Amino acid sequence: MSRRSFIRRRPFSTLLLVLLIALLGWVWQERVALWAFPDIISAYTAKEYCSCRYVMNNSAEYCQGYVKQYLPTSGFVDDAASKQVTVDGMGRSNSAQWIGERQGCRLQP
């Protein structure tokens, strides 16, 4: 069976195969960005919540809604005494802490 007859007999299979190869090529090209994505979710949430809560002085309920995303976070700790926020999401954990009025909030290493 030649290549042309395969394409004519199975156009949907051929299309799916071409799309799969294109998807794998895109994933390979974007592998660094895709690898960093889980860390971005928890870091963004921690930093934005800290800024909303301690820089802008909004209520905890308001800030929870402000940082809500489509991808859920698995853990969320707001330590009001030390003004530090820790967020777990997609297997990664990040913390942000209020430094001062002029510096705002900073992600912790």
Side-chain angles (χ1 to χ4, degrees):
M1 174 162 67
S2 71
R3 206 175 334 171
R4 287 186 176 202
S5 65
F6 178 79
I7 293 171
R8 285 184 192 150
R9 289 184 187 177
R10 301 179 188 276
F12 294 114
S13 298
T14 304
L15 180 62
L16 286 175
L17 183 61
V18 169
L19 289 175
L20 178 65
I21 291 169
L23 178 66
L24 290 173
W26 176 78
V27 166
W28 179 255
Q29 189 170 357
E30 298 294 331
R31 66 190 179 278
V32 173
L34 291 170
W35 187 257
F37 182 72
D39 206 33
I40 292 170
I41 296 298
S42 58
Y44 171 82
T45 305
K47 176 74 168 62
E48 287 297 308
Y49 180 89
C50 181
S51 296
C52 177
R53 182 88 168 102
Y54 300 113
V55 174
M56 302 304 294
N57 294 315
N58 291 312
S59 69
E61 294 78 26
Y62 174 81
C63 293
Q64 282 279 352
Y66 179 74
V67 299
K68 187 172 176 73
Q69 300 180 38
Y70 290 108
L71 297 171
T73 55
S74 56
F76 192 95
V77 177
D78 178 7
D79 183 3
S82 64
K83 295 185 178 183
Q84 182 171 352
V85 179
T86 303
V87 178
D88 299 330
M90 296 185 74
R92 309 279 175 90
S93 179
N94 280 286
S95 296
Q97 186 167 21
W98 186 73
I99 305 300
E101 284 188 34
R102 294 183 63 91
Q103 295 88 5
C105 290
R106 184 178 300 154
L107 285 173
Q108 300 298 306

